[in-house]
Amino acid sequence: SALIWTIIIPQSLEMGAAHIATALIVTIQWPLMVVCGSAMKFRPIILAYLTGGLVSVTGASVALVMSNSVPLALLCFAGGQMVTVCILLERAMSIFPFPVSSPAYRRQRQSTNTGSLALLGVAATIGAAGLWVDRWVIWSSNVGTKTIEGLHNAALYDTPLFWAQLMLIPGLAAFLVHLETGFVRDLRRFVASILSHATLAEIDQQAENLAERVHRRLGIIFRAEMMMCLAVAICAPLFAQYLGMTYRQISIYQIALAGVACHFVFIACAGIVLMVDRRLEFAILQVTFLAINAVSAGVVVLSGERFLGVNYLAATAISALIAWWVMQRVLNDVTYHTFMDAVFRPSE
């Protein structure tokens, strides 16, 4: 965050500090949400985001009305997000109410492979950069402009892409509630069959059931996501003006909606790969998406602004196909990787 807001996007001291504080607070929310989600604490997650969002919007609005200060408004927004962090942290701590100071815990912590954890952190950072790299490329072109506060933007591209990517929320929510929780349950059943010394045929059958359920659930969610994006794209001319979009932006919005359906597939497949503990493959997928998204945006910049939106669709479609192929290979080889990990990574 400090690198982005001080070097890549130079800001005043107040704006830079406000942006860094907001980025750090929002970043903390994700691991806490994953912990709560893994324990199926969905109600506290919803409560945390609703409460934090209400405080953020109210605080930022009051700050703008009272002082007309953008840094102060951003800090008030960050304060509301801190409320979300506090609620999620309280729920996460309630899941583990005992002190983590036992000898077994210390031995596990000492034997943990910090290199693999570092790889996972780098992969997550690259994945976050991949979501923004197309905007950075387009902001640096003749399409991009700069606000009075010094923020780069390209309204012709940013606005329709922002509204389109909001359609990821229903699919990701369904992925978290239905596919991820079911997958974890099936994965535990698969591991339990190994620990109970089942025959190789029985273990392979559990692995096949695991892959079959993933395909079925992912297919159902993808079809629902695709139908929602299609319906919104068809009706886009009816409500585009209420979202602040011009006639030129409607076509970009419709193309981006098609990209959103592909983007969901990429995120879901990469998530499944990570849940099977294939960290290297997950990192490669993030690097691939970053590279394809940057290259496609560069090609569109060279080709002309009439192709805006095609870059996002092409990047997500290609990345989704690669992620699907990687997920297929991982699920097909899950038995082999499980036994090999037990040999070469017994402490993890």
Side-chain angles (χ1 to χ4, degrees):
S1 298
L3 175 65
I4 293 174
W5 295 110
T6 57
I7 299 177
I8 299 178
I9 309 177
Q11 299 289 305
S12 65
L13 180 61
E14 296 82 2
M15 283 293 293
H19 279 121
I20 292 172
T22 305
L24 290 176
I25 292 172
V26 173
T27 301
I28 296 172
Q29 294 177 2
W30 292 103
L32 293 174
M33 185 182 68
V34 170
V35 171
C36 294
S38 63
M40 303 186 72
K41 301 283 186 178
F42 300 122
R43 185 174 299 175
I45 293 176
I46 297 173
L47 175 63
Y49 278 97
L50 285 177
T51 305
L54 180 61
V55 174
S56 293
V57 173
T58 303
S61 301
V62 172
L64 288 174
V65 172
M66 298 296 292
S67 64
N68 198 28
S69 172
V70 176
L72 180 60
L74 195 54
L75 286 175
C76 292
F77 178 86
Q81 296 305 300
M82 195 64 196
V83 173
T84 300
V85 170
C86 292
I87 297 175
L88 291 176
L89 181 61
E90 189 276 331
R91 288 292 86 197
M93 294 300 292
S94 69
I95 299 173
F96 306 101
F98 47 85
V100 284
S101 57
S102 64
Y105 171 77
R106 286 196 295 268
R107 287 195 301 270
Q108 171 67 21
R109 187 172 182 179
Q110 292 170 358
S111 62
T112 299
N113 188 344
T114 55
S116 62
L117 294 179
L119 174 64
L120 185 58
V122 171
T125 303
I126 293 174
L131 294 173
W132 286 91
V133 67
D134 56 333
R135 294 175 175 89
W136 294 340
V137 172
I138 292 173
W139 290 349
S140 62
S141 69
N142 55 3
V143 180
T145 58
K146 186 181 290 188
T147 64
I148 298 176
E149 294 81 11
L151 292 175
H152 294 267
N153 70 93
L156 183 63
Y157 180 75
D158 292 347
T159 302
L161 193 66
F162 167 78
W163 288 115
Q165 287 183 334
L166 287 180
M167 291 299 296
L168 277 171
I169 296 176
L172 293 179
F175 172 81
L176 175 66
V177 175
H178 297 291
L179 199 155
E180 183 175 327
T181 53
F183 178 79
V184 171
R185 187 167 51 248
D186 294 336
L187 189 61
R188 287 176 177 172
R189 189 178 297 116
F190 166 74
V191 174
S193 67
I194 297 176
L195 297 177
S196 62
H197 307 290
T199 64
L200 184 59
E202 293 172 337
I203 294 173
D204 285 337
Q205 184 61 47
Q206 289 290 345
E208 291 178 7
N209 294 339
L210 177 70
E212 188 273 332
R213 292 189 182 101
V214 167
H215 294 152
R216 186 178 70 251
R217 292 167 181 154
L218 184 58
I220 293 173
I221 299 174
F222 171 68
R223 286 191 291 271
E225 178 76 13
M226 185 173 59
M227 293 303 297
M228 285 189 295
C229 290
L230 179 61
V232 172
I234 293 174
C235 300
L238 302 177
F239 59 81
Q241 58 179 337
Y242 302 107
L243 300 181
M245 289 190 292
T246 62
Y247 179 77
R248 293 177 62 195
Q249 293 173 311
I250 294 178
S251 60
I252 301 176
Y253 178 61
Q254 292 170 324
I255 296 172
L257 284 169
V260 163
C262 298
H263 199 170
F264 165 76
V265 174
F266 171 79
I267 295 174
C269 293
I272 294 296
V273 170
L274 182 58
M275 281 187 280
V276 185
D277 203 25
R278 308 318 305 163
R279 303 170 196 176
L280 180 60
E281 289 85 344
F282 176 78
I284 292 173
L285 286 176
Q286 303 309 309
V287 173
T288 301
F289 178 64
L290 174 68
I292 295 175
N293 205 9
V295 171
S296 61
V299 171
V300 165
V301 166
L302 295 176
S303 302
E305 63 182 46
R306 66 184 181 277
F307 294 105
L308 286 175
V310 176
N311 59 296
Y312 178 66
L313 174 59
T316 53
I318 296 173
S319 300
L321 289 174
I322 296 174
W324 177 268
W325 177 75
V326 172
M327 185 192 73
Q328 290 278 76
R329 286 180 58 88
V330 167
L331 291 177
N332 290 338
D333 299 336
V334 66
T335 303
Y336 169 79
H337 287 304
T338 301
F339 280 103
M340 294 303 290
D341 286 346
V343 175
F344 293 103
R345 296 194 298 176
S347 63
E348 298 185 62

